């Protein structure tokens, strides 16, 4: 019964598009501790900070590469973005636990392979469903900073925004629980007219991390889920 429910949740939560890139476009592959092989790209320009990017749901690395290449230059940061299991050219299937495994592999490579110090060199960035692996890492690692764009408070609060029960939050995608143990600075960005992840999710996230939120949250008036960055 539990496996059937988890399978249904994963089918509802993940919407991988047809791959927008080919395997021969990939110059970096990561092996995860759950057996997936996932692509990544690393924009290295010698900047002191590296953004570890967890992308949104209905996109893959091919969709976000140009955006982050431009933003890297604009913000003067290096960028490391990884693919999710079952997305793009990755092996495996999309699931909450596989996504966390993918994120662990990315952070491990930056820390152990490239010798970055997370508390000094790495800013975690997650948008939409990408807020989940970002909050997961933030709850377990001290990093330079955390940026959440259109993040969900929990799977339950996306489906039932007015039902705020911790027991329900704990079932799936419990960003509130993960952020409750975070000790790194957090910046929240959320559109007040978000039709996919309710604005109340942003407010709920702020409630659990405001002690470590050095700046006011950025509530973008009138912005929806897909235009909050523009």
């Amino acid at each position: 019964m539990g496996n059937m429910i988890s399978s249904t949740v994963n089918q509802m939560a993940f919407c991988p598009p047809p791959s927008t890139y080919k395997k021969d476009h990939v110059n970096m592959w990561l092996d995860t501790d759950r057996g997936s092989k996932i692509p990544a790209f690393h924009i290295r320009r010698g900047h002191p900070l590296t953004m570890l990017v967890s992308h949104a749901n209905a996109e893959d690395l091919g969709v976000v590469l140009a955006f982050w290449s431009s933003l890297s230059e604009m913000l003067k940061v290096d960028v490391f973005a990884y693919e999710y299991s079952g997305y793009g050219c990755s092996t495996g299937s999309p699931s909450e636990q596989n996504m966390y495994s993918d994120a662990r592999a990315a952070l491990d490579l930056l820390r152990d392979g490239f010798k970055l110090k997370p508390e000094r060199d790495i800013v975690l960035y997650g948008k939409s469903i990408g807020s989940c692996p970002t909050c997961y890492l933030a709850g377990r690692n001290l990093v330079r900073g955390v940026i959440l764009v259109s993040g969900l408070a929990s799977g339950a609060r996306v489906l039932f925004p007015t039902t705020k029960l911790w027991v329900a939050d704990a079932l799936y995608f419990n960003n509130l629980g993960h952020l409750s143990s975070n000790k790194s600075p957090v910046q929240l960005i959320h559109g007040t007219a978000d039709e996919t992840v309710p604005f109340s999710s942003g407010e709920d996230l702020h409630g659990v991390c405001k002690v470590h939120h050095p700046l006011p949250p950025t509530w973008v008036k009138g912005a929806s889920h897909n235009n909050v960055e523009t």
Side-chain angles (χ1 to χ4, degrees):
M1 183 69 173
N3 288 339
M4 184 175 70
I5 293 173
S6 294
S7 177
T8 301
V9 168
N10 289 332
Q11 288 176 15
M12 293 174 61
F14 296 103
C15 303
S19 180
T20 62
Y21 60 97
K22 298 179 180 179
K23 287 184 177 180
D24 56 9
H25 296 158
V26 178
N27 58 16
M28 185 177 296
W29 294 88
L30 285 64
D31 294 311
T32 77
D33 55 21
R34 288 175 63 89
S36 294
K37 196 173 187 65
I38 61 172
F41 68 73
H42 196 183
I43 301 172
R44 302 180 70 187
R45 294 192 166 115
H47 298 304
L49 290 180
T50 294
M51 299 275 278
L52 175 52
V53 174
S54 301
H55 66 69
N57 195 354
E59 59 189 25
D60 64 9
L61 288 183
V63 173
V64 302
L65 177 56
F67 173 80
W68 278 105
S69 181
S70 173
L71 213 58
S72 167
E73 190 63 41
M74 185 184 304
L75 299 178
K76 305 303 179 188
V77 295
D78 288 357
V79 173
F80 189 93
Y82 65 98
E83 194 63 280
Y84 304 139
S85 296
Y87 279 66
C89 294
S90 292
T91 64
S93 58
S95 73
E96 181 179 4
Q97 294 306 317
N98 279 348
M99 175 181 271
Y100 297 156
S101 173
D102 302 336
R104 288 195 299 269
L107 182 60
D108 286 349
L109 178 63
L110 289 177
R111 179 175 50 209
D112 302 331
F114 290 98
K115 305 303 181 184
L116 300 186
K117 294 183 177 180
E119 69 277 12
R120 183 192 67 190
D121 304 324
I122 297 176
V123 175
L124 306 177
Y125 173 100
K127 180 180 179 183
S128 187
I129 197 76
S131 65
C132 299
T134 296
C135 289
Y136 172 85
L137 291 179
R140 289 160 173 77
N141 302 273
L142 186 64
V143 294
R144 181 70 177 267
V146 182
I147 300 173
L148 300 174
V149 180
S150 306
L152 49 146
S154 70
R157 296 196 192 196
V158 171
L159 295 175
F160 309 105
T162 60
T163 304
K164 300 187 178 185
L165 300 173
W166 282 98
V167 65
D169 294 330
L171 293 175
Y172 302 102
F173 303 105
N174 187 14
N175 283 352
L176 291 172
H178 293 148
L179 267 192
S180 66
S181 57
N182 166 68
K183 304 299 182 188
S184 307
V186 178
Q187 179 63 51
L188 291 165
I189 303 170
H190 212 113
T192 61
D194 194 319
E195 73 290 357
T196 303
V197 178
F199 173 56
S200 59
S201 268
E203 295 177 309
D204 292 342
L205 289 171
H206 185 241
V208 298
C209 72
K210 58 187 175 185
V211 172
H212 301 288
H213 203 298
L215 300 174
T218 301
W219 305 141
V220 185
K221 187 175 181 180
S224 65
H225 192 69
N226 292 319
N227 70 0
V228 69
E229 291 170 319
T230 58

